[in-house]
Amino acid sequence: MSSFSTNILILGKIGAGKASLVNYLYSQEIAVSRSLRPAAARGLHYHKPFAYKDINVVIWDTWGLEADKAQEWWTDLRDSLVQQSGNPDIRDWIHTVIYCFDAKRSRLDEYEKEHILKPLADMGYRIIFALTKWGLCSPDEKEAARQVIFREFPGFSRISVESVSQKLRNGTVTEQQGRDSIFREICLNLRENLTYHLRKQIRADMAAAVAQAEDASRTYFNENTSIFKAYSEELHESIQNVVRQNYREKIGAVYERLRSNLTLIDMMCVEVIRGYTGIDVSETLKNFYLLVESMNDIKVSLWDNDFDDYFVSSAMNTLFFGIYRFVQSNTYQKNLDNQLSEISAKLTQDLESIADTLDHAENKVAEDLSRILAAGNAV
């Protein structure tokens, strides 16, 4: 059994078929909301984890969407998603968003599009559009439903879904469809959503880390200098060592979180794809895993080699102008501030360079996984 749960958010207007879809996908009754929730139950609603094959699944839903409640609905959902994505453990984030769209309506309402779907996309969620009640649609309605999603959200997946098999008045019987296609998209979306939000988090972590390193370095400088203190070579080296250690500690923690979370995403990806499809993609992810592990070497190189160059080639080396004398402390403070800004900018630039490398590798991983899942076997 999986060591974590696949967290899936199901959204849609009242009557769009959320409950029917979930029950069809997992072949069991899950009490997904069918109507407007009371005020006390706003935001994301958590359903108890359940087992599906060899994986755990958690369904999240929210109170029903209506036109006159759109802004209130979105505010509650957004606040809940921000809180959820702020959880330090990525296993607790929302991994997949499925939006149930009643295909017989063949249109997206303005409030539905502008106040719900576009803001979700802007937050970085790759939405899976489940075109529900497909078996009840005429050919014209089916084409119109496909086109409206394609026109408004190009590049997002559109899955034709019939959750309930039923006999129509004309005697025809609708057949259930869409499960395998949605499971395939869940497998792909989990990785894409996680890596997008991880990159966003790591950038925020880096900004906080360099700020903390700068503050700690300034504090040490202020506590150990004054206008009445002679600036010696010993003090110069002491300040330099403290600055180096502050950055080592703070930035090193950022890189370690990035490395460990990318490794965790690989593990989750392998388990989810195996659970939903029976396909083992561990060999496919091997090269990406080796790239992630090599980040430790990148970090070691950064600290043991490049970092000293930040000092040698910068104003820090000439902080004392080659003369140890009594000079106003704010003169040194200004030089130190300039140097810290240079160091922080360089470290942030280095992170972006590594992120670009990872993005390129992730694009290749996404292509390989898409091809493997479409073919139905691993390579």
Side-chain angles (χ1 to χ4, degrees):
M1 184 63 67
S2 174
S3 59
F4 64 92
S5 296
T6 305
N7 303 320
I8 300 174
L9 173 60
I10 303 286
L11 301 174
K13 295 178 65 175
I14 293 175
K18 298 187 293 294
S20 297
L21 175 62
V22 172
N23 294 336
Y24 161 56
L25 291 178
Y26 298 105
S27 303
Q28 53 189 297
E29 291 289 326
I30 309 296
V32 174
S33 172
R34 288 181 171 84
S35 61
L36 191 66
R37 291 186 178 278
R42 289 174 181 167
L44 292 185
H45 178 71
Y46 168 88
H47 294 269
K48 185 178 179 180
F50 61 89
Y52 177 75
K53 296 184 179 179
D54 293 329
I55 58 177
N56 295 316
V57 180
V58 168
I59 298 296
W60 295 81
D61 72 335
T62 184
W63 47 297
L65 171 59
E66 293 183 337
D68 60 344
K69 298 285 186 179
Q71 188 57 56
E72 186 180 6
W73 189 94
W74 169 247
T75 298
D76 287 325
L77 176 60
R78 179 198 61 207
D79 292 347
S80 297
L81 285 173
V82 169
Q83 181 180 13
Q84 194 72 14
S85 63
N87 192 308
D89 192 338
I90 65 175
R91 288 170 290 194
D92 294 328
W93 294 358
I94 294 298
H95 303 147
T96 298
V97 177
I98 300 176
Y99 193 83
C100 292
F101 173 68
D102 185 349
K104 279 193 70 65
R105 293 193 304 116
S106 302
R107 64 185 179 86
L108 284 171
D109 293 327
E110 194 68 14
Y111 77 90
E112 187 178 12
K113 178 177 61 177
E114 297 296 332
H115 295 287
I116 309 301
L117 295 171
K118 286 188 176 179
L120 269 174
D122 289 342
M123 289 180 72
Y125 290 102
R126 295 285 298 175
I127 304 167
I128 300 173
F129 285 93
L131 309 183
T132 60
K133 305 180 183 179
W134 196 251
L136 305 178
C137 294
S138 68
D140 287 344
E141 288 171 332
K142 291 178 179 179
E143 182 60 23
R146 290 191 189 99
Q147 289 302 318
V148 71
I149 300 301
F150 176 77
R151 183 172 60 251
E152 299 294 345
F153 297 93
F156 283 32
S157 58
R158 302 162 294 165
I159 309 298
S160 305
V161 175
E162 182 54 68
S163 303
V164 180
S165 177
Q166 54 186 313
K167 188 174 182 178
L168 306 182
R169 291 181 179 179
N170 61 9
T172 61
V173 178
T174 62
E175 295 184 2
Q176 291 178 308
Q177 63 172 299
R179 178 191 283 126
D180 291 345
S181 295
I182 284 187
F183 283 171
R184 172 184 176 275
E185 291 301 319
I186 287 175
C187 292
L188 294 174
N189 274 31
L190 177 139
R191 188 178 189 93
E192 188 168 353
N193 281 328
L194 283 178
T195 54
Y196 175 89
H197 288 97
L198 176 60
R199 289 193 297 270
K200 184 176 180 181
Q201 180 195 66
I202 289 298
R203 286 185 173 96
D205 288 349
M206 176 61 83
V210 295
Q212 292 166 5
E214 288 180 14
D215 289 344
S217 300
R218 291 189 184 96
T219 297
Y220 181 85
F221 179 87
N222 291 332
E223 289 176 348
N224 289 273
T225 61
S226 73
I227 193 172
F228 302 106
K229 187 177 182 71
Y231 288 78
S232 64
E233 183 175 1
E234 180 182 357
L235 177 58
H236 172 66
E237 291 179 354
S238 175
I239 293 172
Q240 190 165 295
N241 289 334
V242 167
V243 172
R244 181 186 293 106
Q245 183 57 37
N246 286 335
Y247 277 94
R248 275 179 181 267
E249 177 184 341
K250 301 300 182 183
I251 308 305
V254 172
Y255 277 102
E256 178 54 31
R257 284 195 295 274
L258 177 58
R259 187 200 62 79
S260 62
N261 279 325
L262 286 170
T263 302
L264 177 58
I265 289 173
D266 270 358
M267 181 199 75
M268 295 171 69
C269 184
V270 169
E271 290 191 16
V272 167
I273 291 177
R274 184 187 295 122
Y276 277 114
T277 70
I279 299 172
D280 184 357
V281 297
S282 55
E283 191 65 25
T284 302
L285 296 176
K286 186 175 181 179
N287 289 335
F288 183 78
Y289 177 79
L290 293 174
L291 172 64
V292 171
E293 286 300 302
S294 72
M295 290 177 61
N296 187 57
D297 297 332
I298 295 173
K299 185 177 68 175
V300 170
S301 173
L302 174 66
W303 299 124
D304 290 351
N305 300 309
D306 298 342
F307 197 85
D308 286 341
D309 293 340
Y310 297 159
F311 293 92
V312 172
S313 62
S314 67
M316 190 79 177
N317 193 49
T318 57
L319 183 61
F320 308 107
F321 310 102
I323 303 173
Y324 306 116
R325 56 182 180 175
F326 296 98
V327 183
Q328 288 187 345
S329 180
N330 60 7
T331 300
Y332 301 112
Q333 181 74 60
K334 182 178 179 180
N335 287 335
L336 178 64
D337 287 343
N338 290 338
Q339 176 57 19
L340 295 178
S341 295
E342 289 180 18
I343 295 170
S344 296
K346 181 64 169 66
L347 290 170
T348 302
Q349 182 182 7
D350 287 345
L351 176 66
E352 289 301 322
S353 178
I354 292 173
D356 288 343
T357 300
L358 291 172
D359 283 347
H360 180 75
E362 272 293 343
N363 290 336
K364 180 62 166 58
V365 168
E367 291 175 2
D368 289 346
L369 292 181
S370 181
R371 174 173 50 82
I372 290 167
L373 291 174
N377 56 8
V379 295

